[in-house]
Amino acid sequence: MLRDITIGQFYSVDSVIHRIDPRVKIVGVLMYLISLFLFRGFVGYGVVTLFLAVLIALSKVPFSYVIRGMKPILFLLIITALFNLFGTRGDVAFQWKFISITWQGMRKAMFMAMRLIYLIIGSSMLTYTTTPNQLTDAIEKLLKPLEKIHVPVHDFAMMMSLALRFIPILLEEANRIINAQSARGADFEEGKIWHRMRAMVSILVPLLVSATRRAYDLANAMEARCYRGGEGRTKMKPLKYHRRDYLSYGVLLLYFAGVIVVTHFIPY
């Protein structure tokens, strides 16, 4: 399962989406996430499906790589769908003893599952196409006005960057621990669920120790380099808007306008 986690990792390839300014991509993800909660029918999800398909094609990130990142949330996806399926009242479509399924429940379960899938894929595309350094600079630039009310914008952006950097490092460390424990005879794939959960302890404990040690080493390294926050710091590659970035903003506005039109005039 840990080998299938791709969320938070950068996929290095030269594409149109990779070259877009990270500020545009962050704003685009926010607009995309808002649009997911505006849809009320199949036509709306058809619009977002087309938009997401074009985005993945332009990013040159393999579709199999994107889908592989969905495996870790499969359990959450099933639980969410079941809660909506059996917990929604309405016109009964199937009845057996105390089990009742309604047409409204099936519709809601389907839409919630699709919404969760699109939410994860859309959010992942941001990290697939943007390096942690670019994300840090973009977040700091977008939140710059908050410095006037003494919000530590640089510190917040730095924490986000470090968290994203640690995801692939910890996944690599977890894979090494799994291989080492498997060589000693540990089995993480077979047996009952509680046996596999107990076996996971042999992974989580050394992983936690390794993460703590890495965090401590990182703190010492930052202190040794006299790191004191963002005051007075300059950028080697300052962010600048280009023509493609303004065009991207235009595409996002057209997409959001289309979402509003579909939501109000084609609700089904």
Side-chain angles (χ1 to χ4, degrees), residues 67 110 124 218 228 254:
I67 294 300
M110 183 185 300
S124 300
L218 178 61
R228 295 293 183 271
L254 287 175

Side-chain angles (χ1 to χ4, degrees), residues 6 15 21 26 45 57 72 94 96 109 117 119 142 220 232 238-239 242:
T6 61
S15 73
D21 191 286
I26 291 177
Y45 281 97
F94 174 79
W96 183 72
I117 291 172
L119 189 148
L142 290 172
N220 287 336
L239 296 177
H242 297 85

Side-chain angles (χ1 to χ4, degrees), residues 93-209:
F94 174 79
Q95 180 78 43
W96 183 72
K97 295 183 179 181
F98 62 90
I99 299 176
S100 177
I101 299 177
T102 64
W103 293 107
Q104 290 82 355
M106 289 190 290
R107 179 185 176 91
K108 189 174 181 180
M110 183 185 300
F111 283 167
M112 288 300 294
M114 292 172 62
R115 184 175 294 169
L116 183 59
I117 291 172
Y118 287 164
L119 189 148
I120 297 297
I121 293 178
S123 302
S124 300
M125 291 305 299
L126 175 63
T127 57
Y128 291 158
T129 60
T130 315
T131 64
N133 283 341
Q134 290 176 333
L135 279 177
T136 302
D137 294 342
I139 293 172
E140 186 175 355
K141 201 77 172 179
L142 290 172
L143 300 181
K144 193 76 171 178
L146 296 180
E147 289 184 346
K148 296 180 179 179
I149 56 175
H150 306 291
V151 175
V153 173
H154 177 81
D155 295 339
F156 175 74
M158 178 61 69
M159 287 188 293
M160 290 285 293
S161 174
L162 293 178
L164 290 172
R165 283 176 179 271
F166 263 76
I167 291 176
I169 293 174
L170 292 180
L171 289 177
E172 184 180 351
E173 185 72 20
N175 286 329
R176 281 201 294 264
I177 295 172
I178 291 173
N179 293 334
Q181 298 290 14
S182 298
R184 294 179 174 87
D187 189 0
F188 304 104
E189 304 295 336
E190 298 181 359
K192 297 182 179 179
I193 183 66
W194 51 84
H195 291 155
R196 282 183 285 174
M197 291 178 65
R198 289 180 59 185
M200 289 295 291
V201 175
S202 61
I203 299 176
L204 297 178
V205 172
L207 184 61
L208 179 61
V209 173

Side-chain angles (χ1 to χ4, degrees), residues 47-60:
V47 173
V48 74
T49 300
L50 179 62
F51 177 78
L52 201 56
V54 173
L55 179 66
I56 294 174
L58 292 176
S59 69
K60 296 183 180 179

Side-chain angles (χ1 to χ4, degrees), residues 225-242:
R225 289 165 174 79
C226 301
Y227 177 78
R228 295 293 183 271
E231 186 177 354
R233 294 176 64 87
T234 58
K235 305 290 183 183
M236 180 180 293
K237 297 180 180 179
L239 296 177
K240 294 181 179 179
Y241 282 125
H242 297 85

